[in-house]
Amino acid sequence: MHVIDSHTGGEPTRVILDGGPDLGNGPLADRAQKLARQHQAFYRSIMCEPRGQEAMVGALLVEPVDPECVTGVIYFDAHAVLGMCGHGTIGLTVTLAHLGRIDPGRHKIETPAGVVGVTLSDPNTVTVTNIESRRTRASVELDVRVNGADHVRGDVAYGGNWFYLIDPSPIAVEPDNLSQLSASARAVRAALQARGITGDGGAPIDHIIFYGPAQDDGVHGRNFVLCPDDAYDRSPCGTGCSARLACLAADGRLAPGAEIVQESIIGSTYRLSYQSGRNGGVIPSITGKAYVMAESRLIFDPHDPFRDGICL
Ligand code: PYC
């Protein structure tokens, strides 16, 4: 299995070029469901240690349905198959350029959440034009004890994955607080589940974001994002930024076309803006940088007792 690893703002993406399971040639959302239900061992063996690492997202290349797309892709972490992945799409675009499969300019990529646009401006810089993103619930209160407060309040929004966004964070969004932020975000996610609060069609809200002030002038804010596999996103999270733009637009806090900079907990940044969507949401633009780090062949030795990964 031939893979290429990159990172986008510190968040790794592993593009799988061959050797994936046969998922048929139906809509990508159906193929993603098939991957999630029938091939968990496949994606866990690639994402979990010792072959993978906790922050890594996989990008399985598949044949697109739309012939205008340069490729189809299904993203996953060690725990879940994702609808879309912003940092992964930036990493994938830089990887396709590294392979000589695309030139600078505008291209389309098909994901289970829909077709997204990508513009490669230089070998490392990509702007993703995401699917229409929207807020579905504002100011939802949850009885979760976080840093002395009895409850938290957040919005539910979709940006290709489902998010609960808490602004302001009751815990300082600082690297020193990573374990407290992670534990609190897990408690929030469990409370959403216990209350039956979901995205559309009962979709689980499996990403949680805390927002705090930025360190530098010119940066809108800093975020901490918990992913479904309990790892935190080292990048500012492209689908999370899309959900955030939908919330800022719905609250009248950001005008169409205005640009802001979003910082991650480790200080990596994306430039963000949006245009109004056709269905009341926003069409986000996310600009970030990715770097290719490794090209390798994964080996699955039948005698290896940890061949399928350590997924505790
Ligand atoms: O960038 O959209 C994103 C993302 C989702 C999970 C990890 N990164």
Side-chain angles (χ1 to χ4, degrees):
M1 188 181 294
H2 182 194
V3 302
I4 299 191
D5 291 350
S6 62
H7 78 85
T8 309
E11 178 79 352
T13 304
R14 175 165 282 173
V15 175
I16 298 130
L17 297 168
D18 53 44
D22 180 8
L23 302 172
N25 53 10
L28 256 67
D30 293 355
R31 284 188 249 174
Q33 251 188 32
K34 202 167 183 180
L35 182 67
R37 291 193 180 142
Q38 297 172 19
H39 300 284
Q40 210 179 45
F42 161 78
Y43 62 83
R44 289 192 154 190
S45 69
I46 301 168
M47 291 294 100
C48 293
E49 292 178 12
R51 214 173 269 106
Q53 56 120 312
E54 65 159 16
M56 188 172 262
V57 165
L60 174 65
L61 297 195
V62 296
E63 200 56 41
V65 176
D66 180 342
E68 287 189 2
C69 292
V70 289
T71 187
V73 60
I74 302 175
Y75 296 110
F76 46 82
D77 68 13
H79 182 80
V81 172
L82 306 173
M84 214 320 256
C85 180
H87 93 265
T89 302
I90 295 170
L92 168 58
T93 305
V94 164
T95 298
L96 292 174
H98 167 83
L99 289 167
R101 293 193 188 177
I102 59 167
D103 289 323
R106 200 172 149 72
H107 307 277
K108 290 180 180 177
I109 291 178
E110 191 165 335
T111 77
V115 172
V116 301
V118 292
T119 304
L120 179 71
S121 328
D122 65 44
N124 301 105
T125 309
V126 178
T127 298
V128 178
T129 308
N130 199 4
I131 47 97
E132 184 161 344
S133 303
R134 59 194 192 281
R135 179 168 76 180
T136 55
R137 293 181 69 171
S139 202
V140 178
E141 189 175 293
L142 290 177
D143 295 330
V144 184
R145 214 171 155 69
V146 177
N147 207 21
D150 287 336
H151 59 260
V152 293
R153 202 172 269 284
D155 291 354
V156 176
Y158 178 73
N161 297 302
W162 283 96
F163 291 84
Y164 181 76
L165 306 94
I166 302 159
D167 180 15
S169 170
I171 307 164
V173 182
E174 298 289 346
D176 282 353
N177 294 337
L178 270 174
S179 47
Q180 202 191 350
L181 286 161
S182 296
S184 302
R186 286 198 302 272
V188 166
R189 192 177 56 199
L192 287 164
Q193 213 175 352
R195 285 264 310 272
I197 298 170
T198 65
D200 290 352
I205 300 169
D206 50 9
H207 293 71
I208 309 296
I209 311 187
F210 288 111
Y211 287 93
Q215 301 299 295
D216 298 324
D217 287 349
V219 178
H220 191 261
R222 174 182 273 193
N223 69 16
F224 164 89
V225 185
L226 186 81
C227 297
D229 61 0
D230 288 348
Y232 72 91
D233 198 331
R234 277 66 170 162
S235 82
C237 190
T239 51
C241 286
S242 301
R244 170 69 159 172
L245 286 167
C247 296
L248 292 174
D251 285 335
R253 290 173 63 195
L254 189 70
E259 189 174 276
I260 56 171
V261 176
Q262 175 68 54
E263 180 179 58
S264 74
I265 182 98
I266 67 158
S268 56
T269 56
Y270 287 160
R271 286 189 286 117
L272 310 176
S273 63
Y274 74 89
Q275 295 301 328
S276 299
R278 289 204 182 133
N279 303 304
V282 301
I283 307 291
S285 280
I286 304 136
T287 302
K289 283 181 183 288
Y291 300 87
V292 171
M293 302 183 293
E295 245 188 280
S296 31
R297 193 164 68 86
L298 302 186
I299 295 169
F300 297 82
D301 182 339
H303 303 294
D304 177 356
F306 296 112
R307 184 185 58 232
D308 294 334
I310 309 161
C311 292
L312 302 175

